[in-house]
């Protein structure tokens, strides 16, 4: 019997049950939830870094986005508001499409 000890998506226990298996889950206290979301973000970023191709990379990016939405909710921010903040910063400071790599700044 595999032991996972990790935060999973809300419907995973029902999906496991639909396969005829049982799972043992708990509801995390707030502090543990925050900690586990941060771990999950690192896990999903690592999975993105190891993605074999574009399709797999996009799947992992969607997982990262799901975790980011959950983290935004912790900070009492809606995904739409987070997007507005991102867009404003992109307008003011640009994005990353030009592939600019800063070497140094001199006086």
């Amino acid at each position: 019997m595999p032991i996972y000890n990790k935060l999973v998506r809300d419907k995973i226990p029902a999906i496991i049950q639909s396969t005829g298996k049982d799972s043992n889950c708990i509801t995390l206290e707030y502090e543990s939830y925050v900690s586990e979301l941060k771990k999950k973000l690192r896990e999903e970023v690592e999975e993105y870094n190891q993605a074999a191709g574009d399709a797999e990379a996009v799947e992992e990016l969607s997982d990262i986005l799901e975790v980011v939405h959950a983290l935004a909710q912790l900070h009492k921010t809606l995904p739409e508001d987070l997007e507005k903040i991102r867009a404003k910063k992109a307008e003011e400071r640009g994005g990353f499409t030009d592939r600019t790599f800063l070497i140094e700044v001199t006086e």
Side-chain angles (χ1 to χ4, degrees), residues 21-69:
K21 298 177 183 175
D22 290 320
S23 62
N24 183 12
C25 300
I26 61 169
T27 300
L28 295 172
E29 296 294 329
Y30 182 81
E31 293 80 16
S32 295
Y33 176 57
V34 172
S35 176
E36 291 299 319
L37 270 174
K38 290 176 181 181
K39 280 187 203 175
K40 180 60 79 173
L41 181 59
R42 288 189 296 273
E43 173 190 323
E44 297 300 347
V45 168
E46 185 56 34
E47 289 175 2
Y48 168 76
N49 286 333
Q50 294 177 5
D54 288 341
E56 189 177 343
V58 170
E59 277 290 317
E60 297 307 332
L61 286 172
S62 74
D63 290 340
I64 292 168
L65 194 54
E66 190 65 37
V67 175
V68 167
H69 285 185

Side-chain angles (χ1 to χ4, degrees), residues 84-95:
K84 287 177 189 172
I85 294 166
R86 186 214 58 81
K88 182 178 183 221
K89 287 181 87 170
E91 182 181 321
E92 292 172 353
R93 306 188 85 177

